[in-house]
Amino acid sequence: MAGYDPEKDKVLKKWQNEETGLIVSINQYGEGEPKVQIGPRILKKKDGTDRAPAKAGRLSMEDLMWLYDIIDELKDELTEHVNPLD
């Protein structure tokens, strides 16, 4: 069995919270089932450029409220990529 192949790892849709840097995405590996990923978190340096990605860690109330705001769009987008007959 072959190992991980980055060519097969696809980001189908991505959202980023501009305030907290939290990223939520729909990802699919090869022909596998699309899944939601929470994280990483991209924080800003003082000069405004992006820092290296960090683990999402614990979610703040701001993160949670943002997730609540996008959850219907996230669900609809995931539904488009998942075969409902499975």
Side-chain angles (χ1 to χ4, degrees):
M1 181 175 184
Y4 171 75
D5 181 357
E7 294 290 320
K8 293 181 178 181
D9 205 2
K10 301 177 277 189
V11 176
L12 304 176
K13 177 87 181 207
K14 180 169 88 170
W15 296 262
Q16 183 170 359
N17 183 324
E18 296 301 321
E19 301 293 319
T20 67
L22 183 64
I23 294 175
V24 173
S25 58
I26 298 174
N27 300 285
Q28 183 177 23
Y29 186 77
E31 297 303 314
E33 178 183 359
K35 296 179 181 177
V36 173
Q37 176 173 321
I38 298 176
R41 190 180 296 274
I42 307 289
L43 301 173
K44 298 283 184 190
K45 295 179 185 175
K46 289 182 181 181
D47 66 5
T49 59
D50 289 344
R51 290 175 43 187
K55 288 182 180 182
R58 296 174 181 171
L59 301 184
S60 67
M61 181 57 80
E62 189 174 358
D63 289 325
L64 191 59
M65 294 308 295
W66 172 74
L67 193 54
Y68 180 79
D69 288 343
I70 68 164
I71 199 72
D72 287 333
E73 182 182 353
L74 179 61
K75 179 184 66 85
D76 291 345
E77 189 72 32
L78 184 60
T79 300
E80 289 181 20
H81 294 286
V82 175
N83 184 350
L85 300 177
D86 286 347

